Amino acid sequence: MSKSVSSVAVAKRDGFSSNFGVLAATLGSAVGLGNIWKFPYLTGVNGGAGFLLVYVLATLLVGLPVMIAEIMLGRQAKADTVGTFKKLAPNTSWWIIGGLGVLSAFLIMAFYSEVAAWVLAYVFKSIRGSILSSDPARTSAAFTQLIQDPIQSLLWQWAVLALIGGILSMGVSKGIEAVTKKLMPLLFILLVVVGVRSMLLPGASAGLRFLFQPDFSKITAGVALTAMGLAFFKLSIGMGTMLTYGSYFRDDQNIPATALRVMTADLFVSMLAGIAIFPAVFAFGFTPGAGPALLFITIPAVFANMPFGHLFMVVFFVLTAIAATGAMLSLLEVPVSVLSERLGWSRTKATVWTLLALVAVGALAALSNSVIADFKLFGMTLFDLFDALTSKVLMPLGGIMMCLFTGWVWKQRRFSDALSNGGTLTNRRWLSALFLVTRWVSPLLILVVMLKGLGVF
Ligand code: TRP
C-alpha cells in the first residue's frame, strides 16, 4: 500500500511534501504585489468601497469556483498545463488553454517583475534612508526618478529575475515550499502594525470611509471588469498557475477547503493593505487615485511619521519583496513545467530559457516609463497593455474555458469524485451546488462582464 504505482510516480515528479506546505505555497502564489500594490491602487482609482464590493463578489462567484476546478484538473492529470489537457482529453484542442496560459505567464511576469524591481530598489533605498520623507512631493519625486531611469529599471529587474531563477532551480519542495512557509506570517504581522499606525493618524477616518462606504454610482461596466480581472489576478487563476500547483497537490488534500482558506486569507491580506494605506492617504492629503505609484509614495510617508519608521520601512519592503517572490515562482512554474515536461528539458535548462525570454519581454515593460514611454498601443504603454490584456482578456478567457471543460467535458460524476477524494470527504451536497455554478453561473458571468466591460455590447 505504501508504495503504490501512483505514489512512486508522484514522488519522482516532485511535489509539495505536507498539507501545510500545500496551503503555504498556494497562499504564497496568491498573496503578492496584487494585495499590496495592485489592490490598493485599483481601489483608489476606481472609487473605493463600491469597487471593493464588486471585487469580493467576483472572488466568490467566479474566483473560488475557477480556482477549485483548476486545482482539481491539475491534481487529476499530475502534469503541466498543456499536458493536463492532452491527458484528460486526448486528441482534442483543449490543450490550447495551456498554450494561452504560457503566453499569459510571460506577459504578467514582464510587468510584475518590474514592480518587484521597484520594491527591491526600495529595500536598498530605504536602508540608505533616501526615500524616507513625510513630504509627499519628495516621496513622489523619488519614485518618478527611479522609474524614469532606464538603467536602474533594467538592472533591478535583472536582479529580481536572477533571484527567482536561483530559487526555482532548487525545485518545488525545497525552493518554493521552504521559502514561502517561513515568511508569510511575518508579512501579516507587519501589515497589522502599519495598519494600526495608519489608523491612528489624525484624519484617518476619511480613508476608512473611502474603503468601506460604497458609492454605487462609481460602478460602471468597466469598473466591474477591472474588479473581476483583479479577482483572477489575485487568486492566480485562469492561466494555469493553480492547475500546475494542483498537480503537486497530495491525493488526500481537501481541495475545496484549501481553496476556501486561501481565498479568505488572501482577501484578509488585501484588507490589511487597504487599511495600512488609505487612512494615511487621506491623513497626509495624498490623492487615492495616484495609480501604480500609490504604494511607493504613501508608504514611505507613513513610516516617516512613526517611531522606528526607518527600520520598519526596510522590513516592510523586504517582506513585500518576499511576497512577490512566492507569486513570481508560481508564475514561472507554468512555462518551466511545460518546457521540461513537454520537451523533456531538464529543470535548469527550462528555467534558464524562460528567464532569458523574460529579460527580452520584461525590458518592454521596464522601459515603458522611460525610453519607450511614447510608444502606445490602444492608448496604453506596453506595461499597461500587458497588464490589461492579461487581466481583462486572457485570464477571463482561460477561466471560461476551465469552467466549460470542467462542467461539460469532465462532468459531474468525476467532479464529485475528485473533489470528495473518492468519497472520503463528506461534502457531496456542496459539490452538486458547486458543479452547477461551475457549469453555468461562472462562465456566463465572466463572459457577460468581459464583453460588457470591453464595450462589445
Ligand atoms: N496572485 C499574485 C499576486 O496577487 C500574482 C500571481 C501569481 C498571478 N501567479 C499568478 C497572477 C498567475 C495571475 C496569474 O500578486
Side-chain angles (χ1 to χ4, degrees):
M1 174 66 203
S2 64
K3 277 280 174 225
S4 68
V5 179
S6 75
S7 77
V8 171
V10 176
K12 239 178 70 199
R13 218 182 143 252
D14 198 359
F16 297 131
S17 60
S18 67
N19 287 343
F20 176 66
V22 172
L23 185 66
T26 313
L27 191 59
S29 166
V31 173
L33 298 172
N35 307 71
I36 298 166
W37 164 70
K38 206 174 212 231
F39 166 77
Y41 104 65
L42 284 180
T43 307
V45 170
N46 292 295
F51 176 83
L52 174 60
L53 189 73
V54 182
Y55 162 60
V56 172
L57 279 177
T59 300
L60 290 172
L61 291 174
V62 171
L64 190 63
V66 173
M67 188 178 187
I68 293 174
E70 239 185 81
I71 295 177
M72 176 199 78
L73 295 174
R75 186 175 71 177
Q76 217 58 31
K78 297 213 167 40
D80 60 279
T81 20
V82 174
T84 289
F85 292 99
K86 295 208 160 185
K87 236 182 197 173
L88 298 182
N91 307 317
T92 63
S93 306
W94 286 101
W95 63 268
I96 290 172
I97 305 177
L100 284 179
V102 173
L103 174 67
S104 301
F106 277 106
L107 296 180
I108 295 171
M109 262 308 280
F111 72 86
Y112 202 96
S113 61
E114 184 54 24
V115 182
W118 301 338
V119 171
L120 193 61
Y122 263 52
V123 169
F124 289 91
K125 287 178 197 288
S126 56
I127 291 175
R128 288 212 322 262
S130 56
I131 47 170
L132 195 70
S133 166
S134 54
D135 176 5
R138 286 190 51 191
T139 57
S140 53
F143 181 63
T144 312
Q145 200 194 359
L146 167 67
I147 65 172
Q148 289 183 348
D149 179 343
I151 308 284
Q152 284 207 55
S153 302
L154 281 178
L155 289 181
W156 287 112
Q157 186 181 44
W158 294 344
V160 166
L161 292 175
L163 206 81
I164 303 296
I167 300 176
L168 257 189
S169 61
M170 291 189 282
V172 178
S173 56
K174 288 210 199 69
I176 301 180
E177 198 179 328
V179 173
T180 45
K181 211 157 50 180
K182 296 216 181 74
L183 292 156
M184 296 318 292
L186 251 179
L187 176 67
F188 214 70
I189 295 170
L190 201 75
L191 273 177
V192 173
V193 173
V194 189
V196 169
R197 173 63 202 142
S198 181
M199 279 199 290
L200 292 178
L201 290 165
S205 60
L208 291 178
R209 252 178 291 148
F210 179 76
L211 190 57
F212 295 115
Q213 218 171 65
D215 170 0
F216 294 101
S217 68
K218 301 240 169 82
I219 307 175
T220 61
V223 169
L225 178 58
T226 304
M228 187 177 78
L230 178 64
F232 274 93
F233 187 88
K234 277 308 316 126
L235 296 177
S236 315
I237 54 177
M239 46 71 71
T241 285
M242 281 301 155
L243 195 146
T244 307
Y245 270 30
S247 77
Y248 305 132
F249 266 49
R250 295 149 49 95
D251 288 325
D252 61 352
Q253 185 86 15
N254 185 338
I255 295 178
T258 305
L260 191 66
R261 272 188 212 137
V262 168
M263 182 205 82
T264 313
D266 180 65
L267 275 178
F268 197 65
V269 175
S270 293
M271 289 303 120
L272 283 180
I275 290 171
I277 290 181
F278 287 109
V281 165
F282 283 86
F284 294 142
F286 291 112
T287 69
L294 184 65
L295 168 72
F296 299 95
I297 57 180
T298 45
I299 284 290
V302 182
F303 284 113
N305 278 288
M306 65 197 262
F308 306 107
H310 191 169
L311 175 70
F312 276 143
M313 180 157 73
V314 176
V315 180
F316 178 86
F317 279 109
V318 168
L319 290 174
T320 304
I322 290 163
T325 304
M328 284 188 286
L329 290 173
S330 75
L331 270 162
L332 282 190
E333 189 61 22
V334 174
V336 167
S337 64
V338 168
L339 287 176
S340 60
E341 287 176 37
R342 287 304 97 204
L343 305 181
W345 291 4
S346 73
R347 230 189 127 74
T348 317
K349 183 174 172 191
T351 307
V352 169
W353 279 102
T354 302
L355 288 174
L356 285 178
L358 270 174
V359 167
V361 192
L364 298 175
L367 301 176
S368 278
N369 291 302
S370 51
V371 184
I372 50 171
D374 293 328
F375 180 77
K376 294 198 170 143
L377 285 175
F378 306 103
M380 288 178 266
T381 64
L382 289 177
F383 181 104
D384 294 334
L385 182 71
F386 292 170
D387 187 355
L389 189 63
T390 47
S391 280
K392 296 184 178 173
V393 182
L394 289 171
M395 287 192 271
L397 263 183
I400 292 178
M401 293 200 279
M402 303 272 184
C403 289
L404 293 182
F405 184 83
T406 304
W408 300 87
V409 179
W410 192 246
K411 300 225 176 92
Q412 184 153 14
R413 193 179 50 78
R414 285 184 288 186
F415 179 86
S416 302
D417 244 27
L419 290 178
S420 64
N421 295 348
T424 46
L425 302 173
T426 51
N427 53 4
R428 289 259 166 193
R429 251 199 297 149
W430 287 106
L431 290 181
S432 352
L434 181 64
F435 182 76
L436 287 180
V437 172
T438 312
R439 184 171 153 119
W440 295 102
V441 182
S442 308
L444 279 173
L445 209 60
I446 302 173
L447 190 71
V448 170
V449 173
M450 186 170 104
L451 295 182
K452 197 122 181 84
L454 293 174
V456 177
F457 67 83

